[in-house]
Amino acid sequence: MTSEASSGCPVLHSADEPKLDFGGTTPYEDYVHASTLHALQRPVTDEPLEMSFLVVTQVMELYFGLLVFDLRNARDRLRADDVRGGVAALRRCTAHLKALRAAWLPIARMTPREFNAFRDALGEGSGFQSAAYRHVEFLLGEKSASMLVPHRSVPAQHAELTQALGEPGVYDAALALLARRGHSVPDEVLQRDLTQPYSPHSAVEEVWAKIYATDAGEVTRLGEALTDVAEEFTGWRHDHLMATRRAMGAKQGTGGSAGVAWLEKRVSRDIFPELWTARSHV
């Protein structure tokens, strides 16, 4: 068969060859917007590793946004009593987190000299200021009103995070589902101040211990899907800590935080805590 190229010359195609001429941009470009993505890396130094740092950071931002999308989906499925759909969304989140952790590889072996070659270009910039990452933390129960402050000058981000601060997270939705199914989740947990970080409760630990001891069905599968997300998220925090230790030791972080000391504190905090402690009582 033949087709006419934009020059007017015929272009021959055999039946098993891909179509090459679309008379404009390709359908792939129109759908993915690849040229826009590739125009977003703007290094300000001549250090080659700065490009790696920029690309990896932007990839992580895309994954943070994807995690927000699927964590919200998981929460909403659980609120609708759709355990199967909630577990499926949580499993997607686990896969996203595994990919997110792998994204560290290109920059996790930077020496202090290599990082220092472009560190000043960051100024006061820090991943600590990522709105999408903050939204992920809120959905996982890591709530803090003070974390809204860096986003005050971006009204859309501030409004979205303010809403997320006061909404149930994934674990809140899971515990409410357990209560609807007759499990003894205390009212003070179900009616807690959602703007505060989730705190472990002994009665919730007992609920999960009983489920794991007696139930081999979908509620246990929900518990395991939640645990997978918690484990991979903690693993990502640990990877961040180790990459930072290798690149800059115990120096102050670029955003003014205590750097490694701050990250160590974050790594030590369990997500969905009773899912971990309940195992000791089964």
Side-chain angles (χ1 to χ4, degrees), residues 65-106:
L66 185 54
L67 279 165
V68 168
F69 179 85
D70 270 326
L71 286 170
R72 292 176 68 173
N73 184 276
R75 178 197 62 191
D76 294 346
R77 290 298 88 223
L78 295 177
R79 294 177 78 179
D81 290 302
D82 179 7
V83 176
R84 184 176 179 180
V87 167
L90 289 168
R91 287 176 175 162
R92 292 195 298 272
C93 291
T94 299
H96 303 335
L97 284 161
K98 286 181 181 294
L100 189 60
R101 293 183 65 182
W104 280 115
L105 293 175

Side-chain angles (χ1 to χ4, degrees), residues 5-28:
S6 57
S7 63
C9 299
V11 178
L12 298 177
H13 296 287
S14 66
D16 60 350
E17 289 182 340
K19 182 178 178 179
L20 299 177
D21 183 14
F22 296 93
T25 61
T26 65
Y28 177 84

Side-chain angles (χ1 to χ4, degrees), residues 23 70 124 134 139 157 162 171 180 199 219 222 228 254 276:
D70 270 326
E124 293 184 313
R134 193 64 55 211
L139 284 163
Q157 286 182 358
T162 299
Y171 198 51
R180 292 194 299 273
S199 296
V219 177
L222 170 60
D228 286 341
T254 52
W276 299 100

